[in-house]
Amino acid sequence: MVRDFHHFKGNELTRSEQIQRAVVELLLNTNSITWELKHSSGCCQIGRILAQKRKLDVEIAEIACILHDICVIVEGKYEEHARRGAETAKRMLEESGDFNGDEIQLITEAIAHHSEKQIRTGKPYIELVKDADVFDCSLYENAQGFYVLHKPKDVYDEYVKRIKIVRKELGLGQNEVFREGK
Ligand SMILES: [Fe+2]
Ligand SMILES: [Fe+2]
């Protein structure tokens, strides 16, 4: 059966769509609306693509990705935002009443550890969120400067390594890492 698409209006949203809409509504109150909207949406889409590639659950992946910087969206700061964001996400998911304990665990541990790009955990959703995060950032014009200027060299190198692996996985050229601007 062909169903019409709601375009995120009305009350017919799935549990994942309700979380996605809640994130958009929260980020409209930040002083960084454009970035938070673009980055959360970008990560969400990349998470869906990587989940399909890796034969993971697309819904868990998209929710973990859309929520990964929820602490920044709610509080406007980056200090310990991964660990603290996981707590915020846990509350949101529990309050929705739509997710079981295992699902909440998968999503929140991916959020809690997403900043540890230099660590490879072997846990698929944690690595997926890290990869979606760095790959999304690599696609903006001239984003490289931020990482060169604000991250320690070893962390920057890990970002580059991860971006290259994702680019290979997606069949993209290996000569480019961060997109250059015009
Ligand atoms: Fe983050
Ligand atoms: Fe992020």
Side-chain angles (χ1 to χ4, degrees):
M1 189 184 85
V2 177
R3 288 176 59 192
D4 200 359
F5 184 57
H6 49 63
H7 293 91
F8 285 81
K9 295 175 187 138
N11 300 315
E12 300 293 308
L13 304 191
T14 67
R15 61 182 191 168
S16 170
E17 290 163 348
Q18 288 178 44
I19 296 291
Q20 292 170 53
R21 186 162 69 182
V23 171
V24 172
E25 286 169 359
L26 283 168
L27 70 80
L28 292 177
N29 290 318
T30 70
N31 60 6
S32 182
I33 295 172
T34 306
W35 169 248
E36 298 306 339
L37 183 59
K38 296 197 73 60
H39 182 50
S40 60
S41 305
C43 287
C44 188
Q45 288 288 49
I46 293 163
R48 290 169 177 142
I49 293 167
L50 293 179
Q52 288 190 37
K53 275 284 213 187
R54 299 176 187 184
K55 310 241 180 315
L56 298 172
D57 186 296
V58 172
E59 188 195 32
I60 295 293
E62 70 185 353
I63 296 169
C65 285
I66 198 90
L67 286 170
H68 84 280
D69 280 336
I70 191 65
C71 178
V72 182
I73 288 170
V74 172
E75 297 183 26
K77 47 188 184 197
Y78 279 92
E79 291 86 7
E80 293 220 43
H81 74 282
R83 183 184 60 73
R84 293 180 39 243
E87 291 166 11
T88 307
K90 187 164 188 268
R91 271 198 306 279
M92 287 174 73
L93 296 169
E94 282 175 350
E95 279 168 18
S96 80
D98 290 329
F99 297 88
N100 67 38
D102 290 346
E103 293 168 329
I104 293 174
Q105 172 68 19
L106 277 180
I107 294 166
T108 55
E109 78 175 3
I111 298 167
H113 297 286
H114 83 265
S115 295
E116 300 155 10
K117 306 290 196 296
Q118 72 285 8
I119 298 171
R120 272 156 230 280
T121 60
K123 294 195 167 187
Y125 293 97
I126 297 181
E127 298 309 308
L128 180 141
V129 172
K130 292 177 188 173
D131 290 344
D133 193 16
V134 294
F135 183 58
D136 182 65
C137 292
S138 76
L139 295 174
Y140 300 92
E141 285 181 279
N142 295 317
Q144 182 181 22
F146 174 82
Y147 297 94
V148 173
L149 294 171
H150 297 287
K151 302 278 181 192
K153 172 84 169 75
D154 56 328
V155 175
Y156 172 76
D157 290 343
E158 287 299 327
Y159 272 64
V160 168
K161 218 184 282 175
R162 270 187 193 274
I163 295 165
K164 282 185 170 173
I165 291 169
V166 174
R167 290 187 65 84
K168 191 165 186 200
E169 186 176 1
L170 299 178
L172 300 172
Q174 290 293 288
N175 291 336
E176 185 169 330
V177 179
F178 282 95
R179 178 179 162 201
E180 288 182 15
K182 294 245 181 315

